[in-house]
Amino acid sequence: MMGELGIAVPDLHVLLAYSAACFVLFVTPGPDMSLFLAKTLTGGRRDGMLAMLGTMTGCLVHTSLAALGLSALLAASATAFASLKIVGALYLLWLAFDAVRNGSALRLREPEPRASSGLRTFLLGLGINLTNPKIVLFFVTFLPQFVAAGDPHAASKLLFLGLYFVAFTTPLAIVLILLAERAIGAVTRRPRLMRAIDYSFAGVFAAFAARFAADAR
């Protein structure tokens, strides 16, 4: 399905599955969430928002580059693209296993001894995101799972999915910052809640991995 701007939009069932995966990925704490929650606690909501905008800008860069690179790979070799989907399924399975084995990474930093400027806070968020190799590896292996190698609009759909991830998770991040104290208190006082998130992440991505591996045959 083509959008008004000429960008191909995936079918509704694909978009719903992708949205569910994006949500589970978002609620599983990592370096980005740890940063903007810590900034919210130490510098207020303004700092939290700026750090979050930095991380989301990094995600925008990652997803755009991943989509362009995957589009080039698909144009060069549909077989290589299909092989990448198999590798991606195995990587998602590893992420599921690692979530159960090691748990989530919500690590809040201590307050900085001096106040940070808005630009510095934004760049800190951007830098932490761009220098995290797991993020680019995730998008390179994750985005292809929702696009068929023979789809004539595959390149456009890859770009759409990359941009959609940022558009979908940014409002969630804003709500999380606004409710930062409650959110942090909930997860730190209830370790079972964190493990429930871990197992939910593992279950969803293991199911995706199994489905993607079966589709790749």
Side-chain angles (χ1 to χ4, degrees):
M1 180 173 64
M2 296 295 292
E4 295 182 358
L5 299 178
I7 298 178
V9 179
D11 294 336
L12 180 60
H13 71 280
V14 174
L15 193 58
L16 289 175
Y18 183 71
S19 297
C22 290
F23 179 78
V24 173
L25 177 63
F26 174 79
V27 300
T28 304
D32 287 359
M33 183 186 292
S34 297
L35 173 67
F36 64 70
L37 285 180
K39 282 293 184 182
T40 302
L41 292 181
T42 60
R45 290 174 177 173
R46 173 183 172 276
D47 279 4
M49 292 290 184
L50 287 170
M52 180 273 294
L53 289 175
T55 62
M56 289 301 175
T57 301
C59 284
L60 193 61
V61 173
H62 279 305
T63 55
S64 298
L65 291 178
L68 291 173
L70 291 169
S71 299
L73 177 64
L74 177 58
S77 172
T79 301
F81 186 81
S83 299
L84 181 62
K85 296 183 73 168
I86 296 176
V87 173
L90 294 175
Y91 181 62
L92 292 180
L93 190 60
W94 165 254
L95 289 178
F97 171 74
D98 189 59
V100 173
R101 184 184 64 171
N102 294 324
S104 303
L106 182 63
R107 300 183 179 90
L108 303 181
R109 299 180 179 180
E110 295 296 324
E112 295 182 357
R114 59 180 180 177
S116 298
S117 68
L119 179 59
R120 183 180 177 187
T121 300
F122 173 84
L123 292 176
L124 178 62
L126 177 63
I128 285 180
N129 185 277
L130 290 179
T131 55
N132 187 346
K134 289 185 178 180
I135 295 178
V136 65
L137 180 60
F138 176 80
F139 283 119
V140 167
T141 56
F142 184 64
L143 292 181
Q145 310 301 339
F146 297 91
V147 177
D151 190 335
H153 303 297
S156 185
K157 287 182 179 179
L158 285 168
L159 181 59
F160 173 86
L161 291 173
L163 299 177
Y164 180 84
F165 174 83
V166 176
F168 181 87
T169 56
T170 297
L172 298 176
I174 292 173
V175 172
L176 190 60
I177 289 171
L178 295 177
L179 302 175
E181 292 185 0
R182 293 184 181 181
I184 293 169
V187 297
T188 54
R189 289 194 302 266
R190 298 185 180 96
R192 289 184 180 180
L193 177 59
M194 288 300 299
R195 290 307 288 163
I197 293 175
D198 293 333
Y199 279 104
S200 297
F201 176 93
V204 170
F205 279 85
F208 273 122
R211 174 192 163 192
F212 296 152
D215 291 344
R217 290 180 179 179

